[in-house]
Amino acid sequence: MGTVKGCINENCIARQKKTCYKKTDEFCSKCGNKLSYVCADCFKQLPDDSQKYCITCAAKRKDTKDTVKNAVGKIGGGVFAVGGIVLSAGKVVADVIRKK
């Protein structure tokens, strides 16, 4: 799932730089505190390794994804409509050329 372990000590330089550790690491290499699972975006402590993002960051990511999907859908619909108009005009032009 790509879970992230990090130091939760506010004064630690690894926390400030948002340094990620391997799942097998147990202690921070900078301050020696026990590592915890943290949100991949904001570095808030998570209860376990079942999630990659906290509730807030997961909601933000979902909203962004939905916004992009809606924008792409509208653009796709516009392209489809323009394509239909161009296709219709092309048929008219082809008919005119055949008649001559």
Side-chain angles (χ1 to χ4, degrees):
M1 172 136 197
T3 55
V4 177
K5 264 190 168 181
C7 184
I8 57 170
N9 178 4
E10 294 291 333
N11 299 322
C12 180
I13 194 158
R15 163 70 182 217
Q16 294 165 359
K17 290 186 176 182
K18 294 186 176 182
T19 304
C20 298
Y21 292 91
K22 297 177 187 174
K23 256 187 168 179
T24 56
D25 293 337
E26 293 294 323
F27 297 96
C28 177
S29 61
K30 303 293 181 190
C31 70
N33 277 357
K34 186 162 177 61
L35 297 175
S36 296
Y37 289 100
V38 293
C39 174
D41 283 346
C42 67
F43 247 56
K44 286 182 187 173
Q45 185 177 3
L46 298 175
D48 56 18
D49 66 341
S50 63
Q51 299 290 331
K52 184 174 183 176
Y53 302 104
C54 66
I55 295 170
T56 306
C57 292
K60 286 179 189 176
R61 293 176 78 79
K62 185 180 182 314
D63 288 344
T64 301
K65 189 175 182 181
D66 291 343
T67 301
V68 169
K69 278 185 180 179
N70 288 339
V72 168
K74 288 178 183 177
I75 291 170
V79 168
F80 184 71
V82 170
I85 293 168
V86 169
L87 186 60
S88 297
K91 287 180 182 178
V92 171
V93 170
D95 289 341
V96 170
I97 292 173
R98 283 188 201 137
K99 288 182 182 178
K100 287 186 178 186

